Amino acid sequence: MNAHTCSSAAQIVEEARQFAAREIRPLAGKIDANGELPRSLIAKLGERGYLAASWPEEYGGLGLDPVAYGLLTEQIGKACSNTRALLTVQTSLLGETMLRFGTEAQKRFWLPQMARAEKLGAFALSEPHVGSDAKSVQTTYRKEGARYILNGSKKWISFAAIADFFVVIAADSAGQITSFLVEREREGVRTIPMGGMLGNRGVHIAEIHFDEVEVPADNVLGNVGGGFTYVVSTALDHGRYSIAWAGAAIAAEALEAMVTYARSRSQFGEKLHHFQLVKGMIGDAVTKVHAARSLCLSAGEMRRDGAEDAIHQTTIAKYFTSKAAVEVTNDTVQIHGGNGCRSGYPAERLFREAKVLEIIEGTSQIQQQVIAQYGLRKYVVKKQGAVQAGREA
Ligand SMILES: Cc1cc2nc3c(=O)[nH]c(=O)nc-3n(C[C@H](O)[C@H](O)[C@H](O)COP(=O)(O)OP(=O)(O)OC[C@H]3O[C@@H](n4cnc5c(N)ncnc54)[C@H](O)[C@@H]3O)c2cc1C
């Protein structure tokens, strides 16, 4: 039970907004500069149930539906993208996937501890030589009696440097892909923190190396051989929904920074917002922020209602909002002039955080392909009569 058990979804989102303003936004610059999320902040997120916001209450969650969970993600993401990333990984990528494919024993053991931030996880798919072509993972497993033995390396894994366990995607010699829950303390597991990141500097990114790591059969997540089709696809779909909101959130935060600065800075005896070219950037930014948010809301409603095209709408939202965030933050830096190029203002951090969103949970080019395939199926007009009728209408 947590502090929110009796609150409505709207109250929870409003409390998250206030909490983010009070406890997260003031730390955002420091988290980026220091390259770590403070343990005290992670603990507070756990106490408030935010790391399990969309899970059922029986596993320690707040029971928010996808729309309310998206709105909560937006509030955290506006204040600090690194903090929002913790929700993306713990709540969406891992928790929602474990809820669907975990055994009852796995769920009862891991989820309540994750909800309280007593255990953190990481989702280990990408490798040094395998990114977009994720089905080609080179990390291997082989069965020996009742155990599986894992070997290989993962790269770019958010929170791997501090996680207590990893969901590891590996392939056997026949190319069958399976997911395993691997505890950090298992012999043969080693992590190496990765510095020098453009954005997401506070998400404890690391490489993970597996050297003859023994894992019991009980640690298989989902079915043997179902690692990609079920576990990875589901995890990335949930992750994309979270990233879609992350893009909308960064764009909205950047818009506020842009407008505030344009109204306060003067050149040529005028406030910047009086210049038509500056107004043009503000007009575009407002439009993109509204469009990004609308797409996220519609994806959330479709997910809540179990709509057939919910996954596609989520992909479209992720693609659009990450692009919008890059464009809006780019203009925010521009309107800040020299001040946009320095860490005293949030503009440069928002710009760096936005760019990362076009790469994680599937790059923009991969999203474009998926969206195009969907469009090629959905928008083909099969009957000539239907085309004409449609045009006349
Ligand atoms: C900050 C950050 C956090 C991350 N966190 C995690 C994590 O927690 N877990 C995890 O598993 N991974 C994580 N990743 C890895 C991320 O998922 C990959 O970087 C991403 O999938 C892209 O893979 P890649 O970097 O190997 O690029 P590549 O796949 O090598 O792609 C390079 C470029 O080629 C383009 N490209 C590739 N294939 C095609 C194609 N068929 N058609 C057109 N263009 C193509 C891409 O769009 C891209 O522009 C993280 C990465 C970053 C930067």
Side-chain angles (χ1 to χ4, degrees), residues 123 125-126 131-132 156-158 200 205 356 359-360 363 365 369:
F123 182 74
L125 173 63
S126 305
S132 301
W156 310 111
I157 310 305
S158 303
N200 274 27
I205 289 192
V356 167
I359 297 195
I360 56 176
T363 66
Q365 290 69 42
Q369 285 182 54

Side-chain angles (χ1 to χ4, degrees), residues 89 93 122-134 154-160 169 197-201 203 205 236 356 358-366 369:
V89 174
L93 269 172
F123 182 74
L125 173 63
S126 305
E127 301 183 350
H129 303 292
V130 178
S132 301
D133 183 15
K154 297 291 178 180
K155 191 174 177 186
W156 310 111
I157 310 305
S158 303
F159 299 102
I169 317 302
M197 299 300 296
L198 171 75
N200 274 27
R201 291 179 177 173
V203 307
I205 289 192
L236 293 181
V356 167
E358 291 195 312
I359 297 195
I360 56 176
E361 315 298 337
T363 66
S364 287
Q365 290 69 42
I366 299 299
Q369 285 182 54

Side-chain angles (χ1 to χ4, degrees), residues 3-21:
H4 298 288
T5 307
C6 298
S7 305
S8 73
Q11 268 175 301
I12 293 172
V13 173
E14 173 53 23
E15 282 167 24
R17 188 190 67 71
Q18 292 172 18
F19 173 80

Side-chain angles (χ1 to χ4, degrees), residues 298-369:
S298 103
E301 285 161 6
M302 289 170 78
R303 296 173 81 83
R304 181 194 61 201
D305 301 342
E308 197 188 337
D309 283 352
I311 290 178
H312 297 297
Q313 190 74 350
T314 301
T315 304
I316 292 165
K318 191 272 181 188
Y319 170 60
F320 182 86
T321 71
S322 53
K323 202 173 155 83
V326 169
E327 291 168 0
V328 172
T329 56
N330 185 25
D331 284 349
T332 302
V333 169
Q334 193 66 26
I335 288 180
H336 279 67
N339 282 327
C341 303
R342 192 151 185 270
S343 60
Y345 286 81
E348 62 86 31
R349 172 168 49 80
L350 294 170
F351 180 58
R352 290 187 285 105
E353 297 295 7
K355 184 61 208 172
V356 167
L357 303 184
E358 291 195 312
I359 297 195
I360 56 176
E361 315 298 337
T363 66
S364 287
Q365 290 69 42
I366 299 299
Q367 311 303 317
Q368 280 178 304
Q369 285 182 54

